[in-house]
PDB file of all heavy atoms in Angstrom:
ATOM      1  N   VAL A 357      -3.178 -16.297  -9.677  1.00 98.00           N
ATOM      2  CA  VAL A 357      -3.824 -17.162  -8.693  1.00 98.00           C
ATOM      3  C   VAL A 357      -3.448 -16.662  -7.301  1.00 98.00           C
ATOM      4  O   VAL A 357      -2.266 -16.438  -7.009  1.00 98.00           O
ATOM      5  CB  VAL A 357      -3.387 -18.628  -8.860  1.00 98.00           C
ATOM      6  CG1 VAL A 357      -4.081 -19.516  -7.825  1.00 98.00           C
ATOM      7  CG2 VAL A 357      -3.680 -19.120 -10.272  1.00 98.00           C
ATOM      8  N   LEU A 358      -4.452 -16.485  -6.454  1.00 98.00           N
ATOM      9  CA  LEU A 358      -4.266 -15.966  -5.100  1.00 98.00           C
ATOM     10  C   LEU A 358      -4.509 -17.073  -4.078  1.00 98.00           C
ATOM     11  O   LEU A 358      -5.512 -17.783  -4.146  1.00 98.00           O
ATOM     12  CB  LEU A 358      -5.247 -14.825  -4.837  1.00 98.00           C
ATOM     13  CG  LEU A 358      -5.475 -14.408  -3.377  1.00 98.00           C
ATOM     14  CD1 LEU A 358      -4.210 -13.830  -2.760  1.00 98.00           C
ATOM     15  CD2 LEU A 358      -6.621 -13.398  -3.283  1.00 98.00           C
ATOM     16  N   LEU A 359      -3.584 -17.207  -3.137  1.00 98.00           N
ATOM     17  CA  LEU A 359      -3.800 -18.011  -1.933  1.00 98.00           C
ATOM     18  C   LEU A 359      -3.980 -17.054  -0.768  1.00 98.00           C
ATOM     19  O   LEU A 359      -3.109 -16.227  -0.499  1.00 98.00           O
ATOM     20  CB  LEU A 359      -2.605 -18.932  -1.677  1.00 98.00           C
ATOM     21  CG  LEU A 359      -2.586 -19.653  -0.311  1.00 98.00           C
ATOM     22  CD1 LEU A 359      -3.799 -20.559  -0.139  1.00 98.00           C
ATOM     23  CD2 LEU A 359      -1.287 -20.425  -0.118  1.00 98.00           C
ATOM     24  N   LEU A 360      -5.125 -17.176  -0.100  1.00 98.00           N
ATOM     25  CA  LEU A 360      -5.434 -16.301   1.037  1.00 98.00           C
ATOM     26  C   LEU A 360      -5.618 -17.164   2.279  1.00 98.00           C
ATOM     27  O   LEU A 360      -6.463 -18.064   2.293  1.00 98.00           O
ATOM     28  CB  LEU A 360      -6.714 -15.511   0.747  1.00 98.00           C
ATOM     29  CG  LEU A 360      -7.126 -14.472   1.795  1.00 98.00           C
ATOM     30  CD1 LEU A 360      -6.135 -13.307   1.811  1.00 98.00           C
ATOM     31  CD2 LEU A 360      -8.533 -13.953   1.499  1.00 98.00           C
ATOM     32  N   GLN A 361      -4.823 -16.889   3.308  1.00 98.00           N
ATOM     33  CA  GLN A 361      -4.911 -17.613   4.567  1.00 98.00           C
ATOM     34  C   GLN A 361      -4.770 -16.645   5.740  1.00 98.00           C
ATOM     35  O   GLN A 361      -3.985 -15.693   5.672  1.00 98.00           O
ATOM     36  CB  GLN A 361      -3.800 -18.655   4.693  1.00 98.00           C
ATOM     37  CG  GLN A 361      -3.934 -19.894   3.841  1.00 98.00           C
ATOM     38  CD  GLN A 361      -2.792 -20.854   4.120  1.00 98.00           C
ATOM     39  OE1 GLN A 361      -1.624 -20.499   3.942  1.00 98.00           O
ATOM     40  NE2 GLN A 361      -3.109 -22.052   4.578  1.00 98.00           N
ATOM     41  N   LYS A 362      -5.470 -16.941   6.808  1.00 98.00           N
ATOM     42  CA  LYS A 362      -5.315 -16.202   8.061  1.00 98.00           C
ATOM     43  C   LYS A 362      -4.583 -17.106   9.049  1.00 98.00           C
ATOM     44  O   LYS A 362      -5.019 -18.225   9.318  1.00 98.00           O
ATOM     45  CB  LYS A 362      -6.672 -15.801   8.620  1.00 98.00           C
ATOM     46  CG  LYS A 362      -6.601 -14.991   9.913  1.00 98.00           C
ATOM     47  CD  LYS A 362      -7.979 -14.772  10.522  1.00 98.00           C
ATOM     48  CE  LYS A 362      -8.854 -13.905   9.650  1.00 98.00           C
ATOM     49  NZ  LYS A 362     -10.121 -13.557  10.342  1.00 98.00           N
ATOM     50  N   TRP A 363      -3.464 -16.620   9.585  1.00 98.00           N
ATOM     51  CA  TRP A 363      -2.648 -17.378  10.531  1.00 98.00           C
ATOM     52  C   TRP A 363      -2.649 -16.665  11.890  1.00 98.00           C
ATOM     53  O   TRP A 363      -2.241 -15.508  11.984  1.00 98.00           O
ATOM     54  CB  TRP A 363      -1.210 -17.486  10.039  1.00 98.00           C
ATOM     55  CG  TRP A 363      -1.017 -18.375   8.853  1.00 98.00           C
ATOM     56  CD1 TRP A 363      -1.347 -18.122   7.557  1.00 98.00           C
ATOM     57  CD2 TRP A 363      -0.454 -19.693   8.868  1.00 98.00           C
ATOM     58  NE1 TRP A 363      -1.021 -19.180   6.755  1.00 98.00           N
ATOM     59  CE2 TRP A 363      -0.467 -20.170   7.525  1.00 98.00           C
ATOM     60  CE3 TRP A 363       0.069 -20.511   9.869  1.00 98.00           C
ATOM     61  CZ2 TRP A 363       0.028 -21.421   7.184  1.00 98.00           C
ATOM     62  CZ3 TRP A 363       0.568 -21.758   9.527  1.00 98.00           C
ATOM     63  CH2 TRP A 363       0.536 -22.200   8.194  1.00 98.00           C
ATOM     64  N   ALA A 364      -3.071 -17.353  12.923  1.00 98.00           N
ATOM     65  CA  ALA A 364      -3.080 -16.791  14.276  1.00 98.00           C
ATOM     66  C   ALA A 364      -1.770 -17.113  14.979  1.00 98.00           C
ATOM     67  O   ALA A 364      -1.303 -18.256  14.942  1.00 98.00           O
ATOM     68  CB  ALA A 364      -4.252 -17.368  15.074  1.00 98.00           C
ATOM     69  N   HIS A 365      -1.177 -16.124  15.628  1.00 98.00           N
ATOM     70  CA  HIS A 365       0.109 -16.297  16.294  1.00 98.00           C
ATOM     71  C   HIS A 365      -0.076 -16.610  17.784  1.00 98.00           C
ATOM     72  O   HIS A 365      -0.949 -16.037  18.448  1.00 98.00           O
ATOM     73  CB  HIS A 365       0.954 -15.022  16.185  1.00 98.00           C
ATOM     74  CG  HIS A 365       1.395 -14.688  14.807  1.00 98.00           C
ATOM     75  ND1 HIS A 365       1.309 -15.561  13.760  1.00 98.00           N
ATOM     76  CD2 HIS A 365       1.943 -13.551  14.287  1.00 98.00           C
ATOM     77  CE1 HIS A 365       1.774 -14.995  12.652  1.00 98.00           C
ATOM     78  NE2 HIS A 365       2.165 -13.767  12.952  1.00 98.00           N
ATOM     79  N   ASP A 366       0.766 -17.477  18.284  1.00 97.00           N
ATOM     80  CA  ASP A 366       0.886 -17.682  19.722  1.00 97.00           C
ATOM     81  C   ASP A 366       2.001 -16.754  20.196  1.00 97.00           C
ATOM     82  O   ASP A 366       3.166 -17.146  20.293  1.00 97.00           O
ATOM     83  CB  ASP A 366       1.211 -19.147  20.022  1.00 97.00           C
ATOM     84  CG  ASP A 366       1.240 -19.442  21.524  1.00 97.00           C
ATOM     85  OD1 ASP A 366       1.337 -18.492  22.315  1.00 97.00           O
ATOM     86  OD2 ASP A 366       1.188 -20.635  21.889  1.00 97.00           O
ATOM     87  N   ALA A 367       1.628 -15.507  20.451  1.00 96.00           N
ATOM     88  CA  ALA A 367       2.630 -14.482  20.749  1.00 96.00           C
ATOM     89  C   ALA A 367       3.400 -14.800  22.021  1.00 96.00           C
ATOM     90  O   ALA A 367       4.611 -14.568  22.107  1.00 96.00           O
ATOM     91  CB  ALA A 367       1.960 -13.116  20.861  1.00 96.00           C
ATOM     92  N   THR A 368       2.720 -15.344  23.021  1.00 96.00           N
ATOM     93  CA  THR A 368       3.387 -15.634  24.288  1.00 96.00           C
ATOM     94  C   THR A 368       4.490 -16.670  24.094  1.00 96.00           C
ATOM     95  O   THR A 368       5.617 -16.510  24.579  1.00 96.00           O
ATOM     96  CB  THR A 368       2.371 -16.140  25.325  1.00 96.00           C
ATOM     97  OG1 THR A 368       1.368 -15.133  25.522  1.00 96.00           O
ATOM     98  CG2 THR A 368       3.052 -16.448  26.645  1.00 96.00           C
ATOM     99  N   ALA A 369       4.173 -17.744  23.365  1.00 97.00           N
ATOM    100  CA  ALA A 369       5.175 -18.782  23.132  1.00 97.00           C
ATOM    101  C   ALA A 369       6.326 -18.256  22.287  1.00 97.00           C
ATOM    102  O   ALA A 369       7.499 -18.534  22.555  1.00 97.00           O
ATOM    103  CB  ALA A 369       4.529 -19.988  22.464  1.00 97.00           C
ATOM    104  N   TRP A 370       6.001 -17.479  21.250  1.00 98.00           N
ATOM    105  CA  TRP A 370       7.037 -16.964  20.361  1.00 98.00           C
ATOM    106  C   TRP A 370       7.963 -15.996  21.090  1.00 98.00           C
ATOM    107  O   TRP A 370       9.190 -16.088  20.984  1.00 98.00           O
ATOM    108  CB  TRP A 370       6.400 -16.281  19.153  1.00 98.00           C
ATOM    109  CG  TRP A 370       7.397 -15.657  18.230  1.00 98.00           C
ATOM    110  CD1 TRP A 370       7.666 -14.331  18.075  1.00 98.00           C
ATOM    111  CD2 TRP A 370       8.277 -16.351  17.332  1.00 98.00           C
ATOM    112  NE1 TRP A 370       8.667 -14.135  17.154  1.00 98.00           N
ATOM    113  CE2 TRP A 370       9.049 -15.364  16.678  1.00 98.00           C
ATOM    114  CE3 TRP A 370       8.477 -17.682  17.022  1.00 98.00           C
ATOM    115  CZ2 TRP A 370      10.014 -15.695  15.728  1.00 98.00           C
ATOM    116  CZ3 TRP A 370       9.440 -18.022  16.085  1.00 98.00           C
ATOM    117  CH2 TRP A 370      10.194 -17.031  15.449  1.00 98.00           C
ATOM    118  N   GLU A 371       7.386 -15.086  21.830  1.00 96.00           N
ATOM    119  CA  GLU A 371       8.191 -14.058  22.484  1.00 96.00           C
ATOM    120  C   GLU A 371       8.981 -14.601  23.665  1.00 96.00           C
ATOM    121  O   GLU A 371       9.889 -13.932  24.171  1.00 96.00           O
ATOM    122  CB  GLU A 371       7.289 -12.899  22.907  1.00 96.00           C
ATOM    123  CG  GLU A 371       6.762 -12.124  21.702  1.00 96.00           C
ATOM    124  CD  GLU A 371       5.616 -11.191  22.035  1.00 96.00           C
ATOM    125  OE1 GLU A 371       5.218 -11.130  23.222  1.00 96.00           O
ATOM    126  OE2 GLU A 371       5.112 -10.535  21.098  1.00 96.00           O
ATOM    127  N   SER A 372       8.661 -15.825  24.099  1.00 98.00           N
ATOM    128  CA  SER A 372       9.452 -16.448  25.165  1.00 98.00           C
ATOM    129  C   SER A 372      10.758 -17.033  24.643  1.00 98.00           C
ATOM    130  O   SER A 372      11.647 -17.362  25.422  1.00 98.00           O
ATOM    131  CB  SER A 372       8.640 -17.559  25.841  1.00 98.00           C
ATOM    132  OG  SER A 372       8.476 -18.678  24.972  1.00 98.00           O
TER     133      SER A 372
END
Side-chain angles (χ1 to χ4, degrees):
V357 180
L358 164 65
L359 170 61
L360 184 69
Q361 287 182 301
K362 182 187 294 188
W363 289 74
H365 293 347
D366 185 343
T368 301
W370 177 254
E371 291 166 0
S372 70

